[in-house]
């Protein structure tokens, strides 16, 4: 199974190199890695360019994670799509385990795994002490935790660019309503990094608004075609 790995990056110079390396270290290696630098003003684009031919680098004006990933998906040529956030990590063996699980059941659109959360070493001690980090791995119903067939992603449609802080939640809610077939595997497949620049922490009001609008749209869709979200 040929896997295209998609990454959207905006001002993540401190972490994006480690994120990409965790992908390139996978065995089997991904078929291709497509990174979209979403208008970064730090060294992110230069760091991505430093990987040379090991990834395809696309540069665009800042448009948000959803728009960046949609552009990457449009360029992807693999049989399946996987995602890595620019500040997070994949665990060793992630790709092999998920490829095996997806190949074993042709009826599945996607497989998810579990996720560990950790505090970044550069997080100030006073901020780290206020964090509530789960002691055990949790289900990763996130982009990082998913491997999805390209045909299924094309059928279900891309991410909503307007839901910048809830792009995956909005996509998942819509996909479930359209018959999305998935399975949760017990393997830990990714690690979520908590740091001072996490997007949700920087713009909590917009994140809350995006989640509420997404939930309203999901509930309206379940009630029937007369319901609409404004």
């Amino acid at each position: 199974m040929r896997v295209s790995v998609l990454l959207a990056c905006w001002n993540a110079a401190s972490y994006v190199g480690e994120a990409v390396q965790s992908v390139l270290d996978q065995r089997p290696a991904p078929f291709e890695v497509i990174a979209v630098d979403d208008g970064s003003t730090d060294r992110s684009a230069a760091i991505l360019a430093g990987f040379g031919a090991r990834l395809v680098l696309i540069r665009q004006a800042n448009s948000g994670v959803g728009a960046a990933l949609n552009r990457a998906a449009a360029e992807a040529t693999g049989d399946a799509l996987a995602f890595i956030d620019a500040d997070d990590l994949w665990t060793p063996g992630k790709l092999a385990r998920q490829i095996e699980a997806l190949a074993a059941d042709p009826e599945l659109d996607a497989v998810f795994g579990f996720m560990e959360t950790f505090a970044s070493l550069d997080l100030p001690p006073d901020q780290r002490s206020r964090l509530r980090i789960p002691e055990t791995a949790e289900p990763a119903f996130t982009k990082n935790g998913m491997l999805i067939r390209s045909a299924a992603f094309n059928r279900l449609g891309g991410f909503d660019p307007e839901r910048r802080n809830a792009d995956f939640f909005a996509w998942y809610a819509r996909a479930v309503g359209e018959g999305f077939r998935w399975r949760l595997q017990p393997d830990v497949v990714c690690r979520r990094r908590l740091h001072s620049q996490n997007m949700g922490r920087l713009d909590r009001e917009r994140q809350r608004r995006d989640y509420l609008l997404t939930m309203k749209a999901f509930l309206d869709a379940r009630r029937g075609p007369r319901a609409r979200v404004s």
Side-chain angles (χ1 to χ4, degrees):
M1 183 178 293
R2 304 180 308 166
V3 176
S4 300
V5 181
L6 313 183
L7 177 147
C9 180
W10 178 71
N11 289 346
S14 298
Y15 314 114
V16 69
E18 192 177 1
V20 171
Q21 195 61 54
S22 75
V23 170
L24 296 177
D25 287 343
Q26 297 291 312
R27 295 294 180 271
F31 172 67
E32 61 186 357
V33 180
I34 303 174
V36 177
D37 181 72
D38 193 38
S40 295
T41 56
D42 63 2
R43 295 186 61 254
S44 292
I47 292 170
L48 290 168
F51 286 96
R54 290 181 290 175
L55 60 76
V56 175
L57 175 58
I58 299 171
R59 293 182 172 94
Q60 67 177 30
N62 182 257
S63 304
V65 173
L69 291 176
N70 287 343
R71 183 169 182 186
E75 300 293 329
T77 58
D79 306 308
L81 303 179
F83 304 85
I84 176 72
D85 287 345
D87 52 358
D88 292 340
L89 301 169
W90 279 4
T91 59
K94 185 260 195 200
L95 207 52
R97 291 191 295 270
Q98 290 197 308
I99 287 173
E100 182 181 7
L102 194 59
D105 189 345
E107 297 300 316
L108 286 178
D109 291 326
V111 291
F112 290 86
F114 278 69
M115 171 181 65
E116 295 175 341
T117 302
F118 70 102
S120 184
L121 293 177
D122 60 2
L123 196 64
D126 62 319
Q127 294 186 32
R128 191 180 306 180
S129 65
R130 294 197 296 269
L131 294 175
R132 294 183 178 179
I133 298 178
E135 296 182 358
T136 58
E138 300 177 302
F141 291 115
T142 66
K143 294 186 293 290
N144 286 353
M146 178 176 70
L147 178 67
I148 183 170
R149 298 185 198 276
S150 298
F153 187 83
N154 293 335
R155 184 186 84 242
L156 296 167
F159 300 105
D160 184 349
E162 297 302 315
R163 301 287 188 260
R164 288 199 175 200
N165 288 329
D167 55 280
F168 182 77
F169 180 54
W171 179 90
Y172 179 81
R174 188 185 75 240
V176 168
E178 296 179 6
F180 181 39
R181 301 181 299 272
W182 56 268
R183 177 176 296 161
L184 178 65
Q185 300 297 119
D187 308 293
V188 176
V189 298
C190 58
R191 302 186 72 217
R192 178 178 178 238
R193 184 195 307 265
L194 298 182
H195 56 90
S196 59
Q197 299 300 308
N198 286 110
M199 289 184 64
R201 300 176 68 193
L202 287 174
D203 193 356
R204 292 188 185 279
E205 277 303 311
R206 178 161 186 166
Q207 183 185 52
R208 181 175 179 274
R209 174 183 175 276
D210 283 354
Y211 270 81
L212 288 174
L213 285 174
T214 299
M215 182 56 71
K216 182 178 186 300
F218 177 65
L219 293 175
D220 285 348
R222 295 191 66 178
R223 293 188 187 107
R226 293 184 180 181
R228 293 290 184 271
V229 60
S230 59

